Amino acid sequence: MAERSVKAPKGTKDVLPQDSYKWQYVEDIARRLTALAGYREIRTPVFEHTELFLRGVGDTTDIVQKEMYTFKDKGDRSITLKPEGTAGVVRAFIEGGLPSSAQPTKMYYLSTPVFRYEKPQSGRLREHHQFGIEVFGAADASVDAEVINLALTLFQTAGLKQLRLNINSIGCDKCRPQYNDTLKAYLKEHEGELCEMCRDRMERNPLRVLDCKVESCQKIVAAAPKMIDHLCEECAVHFEDLKKYLGALGIDYAINPLIVRGLDYYTKTVFEIISDNIGSQGTVCGGGRYDKLLKQIGGPDMPGIGFGMGIERLLLVMQSEGIEIPQPSITDVFVCTHGEPARFKAIELTRELRESGIKTDMDHCARSVKAQFKYADKIGAKTVIVIGEEEMEKGTVVLKTMETGEERVVRQEEIKLFLQL
């Protein structure tokens, strides 16, 4: 009985060579825009100690309760594949001694693998990849506006048009406890109508109920007291400043008092950027401020803010809007050979042209001349260099322009000169 072929795990997806240029296109935009704004790259491990996410993300979140890939290693330590990017960056920031450096510290991570055990759906996989930025050490709402503007600029540079920005403030540890009491009292009146998870959340972290996706809970939440109406003076001023900064940048926004994001570490500003092109699962970027997270994880009392966006989801939106990503050429020049001696000259010439910055390839399959030309056409070579026995004797090659069929004989030492015309 023949063995079945091994397939990729459910919820994962290969990026094949014919598609990787799309990722590189987005990554190039991200690197360019972050460099202009003074952000530097950080790379953190793909797994962390589970405690980091319990303390940082929050044990009442869906991520911790239902979605984390957690296992024991051979040393009986609890390890988790990272379900989001911020906690690991905060841990690295503290462990690396960066709080003592000049502030603010601006960092980004790119195409970072993130793992969540959830039902795979359009643009949402069990392993997906995120671009995110994190800023530490800046409390003013101007950096909130900068972070939001950077995300929007990336989308606009990628060609997206149908986007909406929603913002909210979820207060701080001064005003949120009183609001939690008010919200909890309201939810108590509707306890019998809440789902089982929300009844548990109501006692432990009532703000999480606002993030529930169960329809019956959403109806109750729609009429619940809003955090934005219970902000302390500091949070209210911060939110007003954010709106003024967004206005100064010419950024349109809507206030959505139900945005709380799916993570416990947020304070004050939270935001989502939504596309109307991918149905109900339309959030393409989300983030906010987390002024207490560093202290919570064991670092100094220092503010932070950031966002994360899924690369797969961004590419899906670009596709839905019909955005054509320019496909780079694979090979500009193909060296076609006839006869064994020519092959040794071909590999030497291929190296020389590559060293001159010209995308060059040659036949590695011992094809006939006719088959070599067919292959060169398939890979999009603009020019074919032909070397045979006669050319070897004369020290020449034949240059053929594939689009026009024009041929010219040139001396081997003049090849680069003609290719650069």
Side-chain angles (χ1 to χ4, degrees):
M1 185 175 180
E3 292 184 4
R4 290 186 298 174
S5 61
V6 178
K7 295 184 178 181
K10 183 178 180 180
T12 66
K13 189 175 182 180
D14 299 309
V15 180
L16 300 175
Q18 61 264 34
D19 296 318
S20 59
Y21 75 94
K22 300 174 184 177
W23 288 64
Q24 292 162 1
Y25 179 78
V26 170
E27 290 165 354
D28 287 345
I29 293 174
R31 290 189 188 280
R32 178 160 47 86
L33 294 178
T34 49
L36 289 172
Y39 290 76
R40 294 178 294 173
E41 185 177 11
I42 183 169
R43 304 186 186 194
T44 60
V46 76
F47 58 87
E48 299 271 3
H49 292 292
T50 303
E51 181 188 5
L52 174 66
F53 302 113
L54 295 178
R55 293 171 63 181
V57 175
D59 59 4
T60 63
T61 63
D62 284 352
I63 290 176
V64 169
Q65 290 189 345
K66 298 187 293 185
E67 298 174 3
M68 292 203 313
Y69 279 90
T70 298
F71 57 93
K72 289 288 186 74
D73 68 5
K74 292 183 178 181
D76 201 36
R77 293 170 289 254
S78 182
I79 297 295
T80 296
L81 300 180
K82 61 183 173 188
E84 57 89 46
T86 299
V89 173
V90 171
R91 192 268 313 148
F93 177 75
I94 297 168
E95 190 173 347
L98 298 183
S100 61
S101 61
Q103 302 301 332
T105 298
K106 297 180 174 184
M107 297 182 284
Y108 74 90
Y109 50 88
L110 185 56
S111 292
T112 294
V114 171
F115 303 86
R116 295 186 188 178
Y117 189 85
E118 55 187 346
K119 183 179 179 181
Q121 53 189 292
S122 180
R124 189 184 293 274
L125 298 167
R126 289 178 177 175
E127 182 200 34
H128 68 279
H129 300 79
Q130 287 192 356
F131 163 62
I133 67 173
E134 314 290 351
V135 182
F136 302 122
D140 192 78
S142 59
V143 77
D144 303 41
E146 176 182 290
V147 165
I148 292 170
N149 183 59
L150 200 156
L152 289 169
T153 301
L154 186 147
F155 289 133
Q156 291 160 1
T157 305
L160 301 187
K161 300 186 185 310
Q162 300 180 44
L163 297 171
R164 294 180 287 114
L165 169 65
N166 288 344
I167 64 172
N168 189 26
S169 177
I170 56 172
C172 65
D173 55 0
K174 297 176 185 175
C175 52
R176 197 184 298 167
Q178 184 176 352
Y179 168 71
N180 280 344
D181 291 340
T182 302
L183 178 60
K184 185 176 178 181
Y186 168 81
L187 295 174
K188 275 286 188 182
E189 297 174 4
H190 302 273
E191 186 172 2
E193 304 166 64
L194 296 174
C195 70
E196 182 179 352
M197 181 166 288
C198 281
R199 287 196 292 272
D200 177 63
R201 287 169 168 168
M202 180 182 67
E203 298 295 334
R204 302 171 65 193
N205 189 350
L207 200 65
R208 289 265 61 79
V209 178
L210 303 182
D211 198 42
C212 184
K213 302 300 186 291
V214 176
E215 186 176 352
S216 59
C217 294
Q218 289 182 333
K219 290 179 180 179
I220 297 167
V221 163
K226 307 296 188 289
M227 180 72 235
I228 200 169
D229 297 324
H230 294 77
L231 298 176
C232 63
E233 183 178 0
E234 178 186 334
C235 290
V237 170
H238 187 275
F239 193 54
E240 288 302 313
D241 286 346
L242 171 62
K243 292 187 284 185
K244 291 175 184 176
Y245 282 122
L246 292 175
L249 291 170
I251 296 175
D252 294 327
Y253 62 87
I255 298 173
N256 182 348
L258 295 182
I259 296 177
V260 296
R261 301 297 300 150
L263 307 165
D264 280 353
Y265 52 61
Y266 286 116
T267 56
K268 295 181 180 173
T269 303
V270 287
F271 69 91
E272 292 180 346
I273 299 173
I274 297 170
S275 168
D276 295 322
N277 269 329
I278 53 175
S280 60
Q281 300 294 324
T283 302
V284 291
C285 177
R289 182 169 280 280
Y290 44 85
D291 289 346
K292 300 302 177 183
L293 181 57
L294 275 81
K295 187 175 181 180
Q296 191 173 321
I297 291 179
D301 191 0
M302 181 180 287
I305 184 171
F307 69 67
M309 65 174 69
I311 304 294
E312 288 90 346
R313 179 157 288 205
L314 171 54
L315 290 171
L316 181 66
V317 179
M318 293 173 70
Q319 180 183 3
S320 69
E321 292 196 15
I323 296 170
E324 293 286 341
I325 298 176
Q327 187 169 357
S329 63
I330 301 173
T331 302
D332 292 329
V333 176
F334 186 82
V335 183
C336 176
T337 61
H338 177 61
E340 192 69 21
R343 294 182 60 79
F344 294 100
K345 182 62 182 177
I347 198 166
E348 176 188 343
L349 179 57
T350 298
R351 183 196 65 186
E352 291 177 2
L353 294 178
R354 288 173 179 171
E355 289 175 350
S356 298
I358 299 171
K359 294 180 180 178
T360 309
D361 207 349
M362 64 173 284
D363 176 51
H364 294 292
C365 298
R367 297 179 176 93
S368 67
V369 172
K370 183 178 180 180
Q372 289 180 62
F373 268 95
K374 284 185 177 180
Y375 178 73
D377 186 53
K378 285 182 179 179
I379 63 175
K382 300 179 180 67
T383 304
V384 171
I385 298 175
V386 181
I387 306 177
E389 184 177 338
E390 181 180 349
E391 287 77 24
M392 289 288 291
E393 291 177 358
K394 295 180 178 179
T396 62
V397 298
V398 177
L399 295 185
K400 180 173 182 177
T401 303
M402 294 294 282
E403 185 176 1
T404 64
E406 178 188 1
E407 294 184 359
R408 71 172 75 188
V409 177
V410 302
R411 298 200 61 77
Q412 291 179 8
E413 61 267 23
E414 296 177 332
I415 292 174
K416 285 187 280 187
L417 176 64
F418 279 92
L419 290 175
Q420 292 168 2
L421 289 178

